[in-house]
Amino acid sequence: MAPAELRERRWRLVVSGFADAATNMAVDEAIQTVHARGEVPPTLRLYGWRPAAVSIGYFQRMAAEVDLDACRRLGYGYVRRPTGGRAIFHHVELTYSVVIREELLPGSVLETYRTLAGGLVAAIRRLGAPAELAGGEPDPRLGGEASAACFDAPSAYELVVGGRKVVGSAQTRRHGTILQHGSVLLDLDAELLFTLLRVDPEKRPAAVAHLRSRAAGLRELLGREVTWDEAARALPEGFTEALGVEFVRGELTPAERRLTEELVTTRYGTDAWNLRR
């Protein structure tokens, strides 16, 4: 299947740095809403999480997947994403989000995943890792059963290096607009991840070993330090190389900032959203 045709080549680049879990998800939704109104161009946003946090997919149950007592005790955040997928521990990573109207990036979910993955593949290769698309199904060489963790298995058109997942992404569509965001692993602490997820303690060592066989951070794969800033430079370069996108550096607009504050207060910072069944 051919990738979707990208119909808008001039994008805004927002490097927003580090924020807490509720703010990060609120900013992504705010950009999506304001872009849907035609007030801002397609946007690539790069960010990190402080404090580190667990996010769950829209359809997951927080209490069933995440050990909230462990998160609170260790000082980590938690949030429900507006996108689907499984749990992610946003720790040592670069997170990206892409917001673009469906008319500017037509095609199915898988087609648009594949188009955007082209930019991610080019970016990871610029960092020195031979990234490739995982394909439509988890790699059968990896075997085993999936856990609640996103990086347990590569999904359609996600990135692997040597069969191990390095980027996990999720997508949602609303108001005729695509929001896709994902994690570029710089490092992976599998033991800490499974301390924060609800896993039978007797099964935890096997789960840790299983995840390490399926996923890895770029620092392990490349055998060198890969900084957040280095990865943040590579991402837009990769999108330019693979998709022909021209980036204009920008900031959030006043409308996006106001909506972010509103969404933190009414949604992503509330137990009603994060803990709902």
Side-chain angles (χ1 to χ4, degrees):
M1 181 180 294
E5 176 64 28
L6 188 65
R7 296 180 182 172
E8 175 57 59
R9 304 287 178 176
R10 191 176 178 86
W11 291 16
R12 177 179 59 161
L13 173 64
V14 175
V15 182
S16 55
F18 290 74
D20 62 81
T23 299
N24 275 333
M25 292 300 91
V27 171
D28 278 355
E29 183 175 333
I31 294 173
Q32 184 180 25
T33 299
V34 175
H35 176 63
R37 300 199 299 241
E39 298 175 16
V40 296
T43 298
L44 170 65
R45 175 181 169 238
L46 306 176
Y47 58 98
W49 303 65
R50 187 172 293 151
V54 177
S55 76
I56 62 168
Y58 179 83
F59 297 103
Q60 289 185 299
R61 290 181 56 218
M62 184 74 75
E65 308 292 354
V66 181
D67 186 337
L68 295 177
D69 289 338
C71 287
R72 294 170 182 136
R73 183 178 69 253
L74 297 171
Y76 297 123
Y78 52 86
V79 70
R80 178 189 301 277
R81 299 190 304 272
T83 53
R86 293 183 288 172
I88 300 177
F89 180 41
H90 304 279
H91 189 209
V92 186
E93 68 170 56
L94 169 73
T95 313
Y96 80 91
S97 67
V98 169
V99 171
I100 185 168
R101 292 199 304 280
E102 291 181 73
E103 67 191 59
L104 302 177
L105 183 60
S108 68
V109 171
L110 290 184
E111 287 175 320
T112 53
Y113 256 123
R114 183 171 183 173
T115 298
L116 297 175
L120 297 168
V121 167
I124 301 304
R125 289 178 177 174
R126 280 176 169 267
L127 293 170
E132 58 185 354
L133 297 182
E137 298 293 338
D139 189 333
R141 296 173 299 173
L142 299 177
E145 297 182 1
S147 73
C150 169
F151 280 88
D152 199 342
S155 301
Y157 302 124
E158 292 193 305
L159 272 69
V160 296
V161 175
R164 300 167 76 188
K165 188 172 176 178
V166 294
V167 180
S169 301
Q171 187 181 117
T172 188
R173 299 180 180 215
R174 52 194 295 274
H175 307 311
T177 303
I178 298 167
L179 163 63
Q180 180 172 311
H181 52 197
S183 300
V184 179
L185 281 181
L186 303 181
D187 205 355
L188 173 64
D189 190 333
E191 290 186 359
L192 180 54
L193 168 62
F194 283 110
T195 298
L196 303 175
L197 297 185
R198 289 199 177 279
V199 178
D200 184 335
E202 294 184 357
K203 297 180 179 179
R204 189 170 293 162
V208 168
H210 184 64
L211 179 60
R212 285 174 174 163
S213 73
R214 289 176 172 255
L218 288 171
R219 294 174 182 174
E220 176 187 347
L221 293 167
L222 294 174
R224 67 173 180 85
E225 181 75 6
V226 180
T227 67
W228 192 93
D229 288 340
E230 182 184 2
R233 289 192 296 270
L235 260 290
E237 291 173 354
F239 275 81
T240 295
E241 175 186 335
L243 280 66
V245 174
E246 176 188 351
F247 286 104
V248 177
R249 186 73 176 260
E251 303 292 337
L252 297 179
T253 65
E256 289 168 320
R257 294 184 185 279
R258 287 193 299 270
L259 185 52
T260 294
E261 293 177 359
E262 177 184 331
L263 288 168
V264 168
T265 301
T266 62
R267 183 169 303 171
Y268 296 106
T270 69
D271 286 346
W273 169 265
N274 292 321
L275 304 186
R276 69 177 178 81
R277 293 184 180 275

